[in-house]
Every structure is written in C-alpha cells, then in structure tokens.
C-alpha cells in the first residue's frame, strides 16, 4: 500500500464526511396524480394551475405522458392548446394525418381539437411533457 500523507488523508476524510451528511435525491412522491388511460401509457398530472400572461389563456398546467416501448395513445382530440416536448426517448407522432418523429428535446404545438396519436416504436421508455394552455 502506498503512503498516505496529510493532504490525501484530509481529502479522504472530507469526502467521507460529505457522503455521510448528504441525503440521496429522491423521486417526487407528492403533488401529482397518475392515471393509465391505455396499456403501457401513464399520464402524470401535476397539481395546480398557474396564471398565464399569454393573451387568450387564463392558466397553464403541466403533465407527462410516460410511454413504455410498444405502447400507443388512442388519438383523442386535444381539449386545449398545448406545447409538447420529448424529454426522454423517441415517439412517432400522427397529428391530423401528418406523421413525424419526435426525438429527445423535440418541441411542437397542438391546438384545441387537434387529433394526435403517439407511438413508442423504440425499446426505451419515452416521456412527452405537455404544457397545457387553458382558456
């Protein structure tokens, strides 16, 4: 074993003390509600609407659509305008007959009554974050 001098001993001691004091980050356990509208799809709605300063919209809210590999949504009409963002994975999207691929960090919009179906054709979980713009 190599010699340990005062400097390396101090560094090891500080690292151990820091590890003992710090708590590991935990997943959010409150402030949302999960539903499973389709097989392999979880919609996580976060609590609370926030007032909007965008003309025509009173509030905004946020939700995540978490899609397992091989899952799909059913394509219901959008209940309001929204901004969508792929935070993980990749989705094939069919928006009113226009098909496109959303890869990680891709952002797009939907208007009220837009019909959109999402497919996770990949082999990893995909997450679509939705910011709902509510009139």
């Amino acid at each position: 074993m190599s010699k340990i001098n005062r400097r390396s001993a101090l560094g090891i001691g500080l690292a151990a003390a820091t590890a003992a004091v710090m708590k590991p980050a935990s997943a959010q356990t409150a402030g949302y509600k999960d539903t499973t509208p389709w097989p392999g799809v979880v919609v996580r709605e976060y609590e609370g609407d926030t007032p909007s300063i965008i003309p025509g919209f009173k509030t905004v809210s946020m939700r995540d659509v978490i899609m397992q590999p091989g899952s799909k949504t059913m394509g219901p009409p959008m209940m309001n305008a929204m901004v969508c963002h792929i935070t993980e994975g990749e989705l094939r999207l069919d928006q009113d007959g226009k098909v496109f691929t959303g890869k990680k960090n891709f952002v797009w919009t939907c208007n009220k009554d837009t019909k959109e179906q999402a497919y996770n054709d990949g082999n990893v979980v995909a997450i679509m974050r939705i910011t709902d713009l509510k009139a």
Side-chain angles (χ1 to χ4, degrees), residues 14-91:
L14 283 173
T18 301
V21 171
M22 294 190 62
K23 294 180 184 176
S26 60
Q28 186 175 355
T29 58
Y32 65 87
K33 177 183 163 192
D34 286 350
T35 57
T36 306
W38 307 287
V41 178
V42 172
V43 176
R44 176 167 290 167
E45 293 188 52
Y46 296 96
E47 290 179 0
D49 289 356
T50 304
S52 171
I53 62 169
I54 300 171
F57 301 104
K58 292 180 183 175
T59 61
V60 297
S61 64
M62 189 171 64
R63 59 193 160 109
D64 291 332
V65 178
I66 305 161
M67 298 182 63
Q68 297 299 318
S71 65
K72 65 180 181 176
T73 63
M74 298 310 288
M78 302 301 162
M79 58 202 147
N80 48 261
M82 59 189 70
V83 178
C84 301
H85 171 214
I86 304 293
T87 61
E88 294 295 331
E90 179 176 314
L91 293 174

Side-chain angles (χ1 to χ4, degrees), residues 6-22:
R6 275 188 261 167
R7 187 173 293 164
S8 61
L10 179 61
I12 293 169
L14 283 173
T18 301
V21 171
M22 294 190 62

